[in-house]
Amino acid sequence: MTATPRSRRLRTLAAALVTTAALSLTACQTGTADATGVVDSTQPPAPGTESAEKQSPATGTDSDTSGASNDSKDSGSSVNSGSSGKEATQVADRKTAKKTTSCTAKGTKVTVTDAPRPINHLLIKATNTSDTTCHLYYAPYLRFDQAQSAVPFIEESKPQAVVTLEPGESGYAGVLTSTPDGSHPYDATSLTLYYAARSGQGSTGAPSHPALPFDSVRIDSSNAVTYWQTSAADALMW
């Protein structure tokens, strides 16, 4: 069949309409329409999947940061917990550490007895009656009656270490009262004992007033006292 001019025009028009529709569909997918409805393919695509894809890593980063923050907090808590535990242990150690003090008349009982040997000697015994460990420093400061000065120390009797008394334990000091060569003898009827301070300068605490073994004791210029000792035998060696 031979196409007439009319049919050819119809076919041409149909082809043009199909082409126009295809171009319009493509423009809608890749471009942006202006106010008149004409598609401008030079405009960038509207936000969509690409923007969502870009936000996903950010969300992941936030998650990681939060996790790192939590890890950091957990780590900090562990460190703080460890430090607190260590401090608590140190405090407990300090509380359980043995407390010691200088021996004084308040926490001791002092007795004076006559020593059978050597002659002309007295034995002083100081017993810790407190519940705290105490130290007997140097030698006891002794005054018979109203003497102006304390009885001299026997330096040769100085021990290698300070005498320490646990509760219930005793320390000793020997007193040489007189010798045949002594001068200025007198009969003493009372004794005052002072505990030496740790510094070695003066005494500490109130004095003790132990009773003498007799109504009176002969004292002369040779009168002297030993340093505190851990046994009666050591105290009577001089």
Side-chain angles (χ1 to χ4, degrees):
M1 181 188 298
T2 303
T4 65
R6 178 181 175 83
S7 63
R8 282 197 296 272
R9 287 197 299 272
L10 290 173
R11 286 196 295 269
T12 300
L13 179 59
L17 289 174
V18 170
T19 301
T20 301
L23 291 175
S24 298
L25 178 62
T26 302
C28 289
Q29 292 176 347
T30 61
T32 304
D34 60 14
T36 62
V38 178
V39 174
D40 184 358
S41 61
T42 63
Q43 294 297 323
T49 305
E50 183 179 0
S51 295
E53 291 175 352
K54 287 183 179 179
Q55 291 173 0
S56 295
T59 304
T61 303
D62 290 343
S63 256
D64 294 341
T65 303
S66 176
S69 177
N70 289 337
D71 290 344
S72 175
K73 289 179 181 178
D74 291 342
S75 175
S77 298
S78 299
V79 171
N80 292 338
S81 176
S83 299
S84 299
K86 184 176 180 181
E87 291 174 359
T89 301
Q90 291 174 345
V91 170
D93 289 343
R94 287 195 294 270
K95 288 183 177 179
T96 56
K98 183 183 293 185
K99 180 182 178 182
T100 63
T101 186
S102 298
C103 294
T104 62
K106 183 178 180 180
T108 58
K109 178 181 179 181
V110 179
T111 58
V112 180
T113 57
D114 179 49
R117 287 187 302 177
I119 61 172
N120 301 330
H121 276 70
L122 299 177
L123 179 65
I124 296 176
K125 178 182 178 181
T127 302
N128 184 0
T129 58
S130 72
D131 57 0
T132 302
T133 300
C134 70
H135 304 292
L136 290 170
Y137 293 106
Y138 306 100
Y141 290 114
L142 303 180
R143 290 182 186 273
F144 285 97
D145 290 348
Q146 302 300 318
Q148 296 299 312
S149 59
V151 175
F153 297 169
I154 301 175
E155 292 299 329
E156 293 83 358
S157 67
K158 187 174 183 179
Q160 294 183 347
V162 173
V163 175
T164 300
L165 303 182
E166 298 288 343
E169 292 184 338
S170 301
Y172 304 85
V175 182
L176 172 62
T177 56
S178 62
T179 64
D181 299 329
S183 59
H184 309 293
Y186 68 96
D187 292 327
T189 59
S190 66
L191 174 64
T192 302
L193 182 151
Y194 296 85
Y195 287 95
R198 179 178 181 179
S199 64
Q201 302 297 318
S203 61
T204 180
S208 177
H209 301 280
L212 294 173
F214 309 110
D215 290 339
S216 63
V217 175
R218 176 59 59 94
I219 301 295
D220 65 20
S221 60
S222 59
N223 185 205
V225 62
T226 68
Y227 281 72
W228 289 110
Q229 309 293 327
T230 57
S231 70
D234 289 343
L236 295 174
M237 289 179 61
W238 289 271

